[in-house]
Amino acid sequence: MIGRFTHHHVCCRRPLGVGKVLRRLVGAELAFSVDFHLASAHQLIPAAIAALPRAGVVFVNSAEYATLAAHIDLGELNTVVVSEGPREVTLLQRGRVAATMRPPHAAAVEVTGAGDTLAGTFLAQLAQGASAPDALRQAVTAATRATGVPGLPVGVQRRPHR
């Protein structure tokens, strides 16, 4: 699949061989972005460091940001989006704050997937030509809306495998 698309997004989670996947994208000179999962970020951020200056966007939460900042000069990174649930989201470009946005107050019903909605909307907006600050506003708004929608109920009956 590498090379079939104009942009690749890598969800850096165990057991993915992050270093190998990112080296392949860098070697093929393909556009990519990454996000991390808190449970494995302390291991996978260091494994990804060599490739991160080539990433278009790096998505992290505040704890992952601390790990990231401990391993690389943030000025080497194109764009970093730092989110933390209902708190302010920060957009860094080359290590400098380019925009911030506090999510609008909303009663959260389900927070699962809010970070994925933020990342997907941000990337989609950029792909459609939006500026990074405008993409951030759209992404934060979409993620906030997503938290107001109930997820799938527990015990959803699945179709039998054929």
Side-chain angles (χ1 to χ4, degrees):
M1 297 302 264
I2 287 182
R4 270 183 75 190
F5 304 99
T6 58
H7 182 90
H8 298 271
H9 182 75
V10 181
C11 299
C12 301
R13 286 149 174 75
R14 266 187 312 239
L16 180 69
V18 170
K20 183 177 181 179
V21 170
L22 296 181
R23 277 192 302 277
R24 189 155 175 215
L25 290 167
V26 168
E29 298 183 0
L30 296 169
F32 67 95
S33 55
V34 299
D35 69 36
F36 294 90
H37 185 260
L38 185 57
S40 58
H42 66 284
Q43 293 172 327
L44 298 185
I45 287 174
I49 285 297
L52 294 184
R54 295 289 307 275
V57 185
V58 176
F59 295 93
V60 291
N61 67 26
S62 61
E64 296 160 352
Y65 175 78
T67 301
L68 182 67
H71 285 88
I72 193 168
D73 173 1
L74 298 171
E76 293 181 40
L77 304 178
N78 294 304
T79 300
V80 178
V81 175
V82 185
S83 62
E84 192 60 41
R87 291 178 276 298
E88 188 171 74
V89 180
T90 303
L91 171 69
L92 301 168
Q93 294 188 299
R94 293 289 176 195
R96 295 180 183 250
V97 175
T100 61
M101 183 176 178
R102 182 168 300 283
H105 178 72
V109 175
E110 175 63 69
V111 297
T112 303
D116 293 331
T117 300
L118 181 111
T121 303
F122 185 84
L123 294 171
Q125 290 295 309
L126 289 181
Q128 293 175 24
S131 69
D134 287 341
L136 182 71
R137 282 189 281 286
Q138 293 293 324
V140 170
T141 300
T144 301
R145 279 192 204 126
T147 66
V149 178
L152 290 174
V154 176
V156 171
Q157 190 168 8
R158 300 176 193 272
R159 287 196 231 179
H161 293 283
R162 294 182 185 190

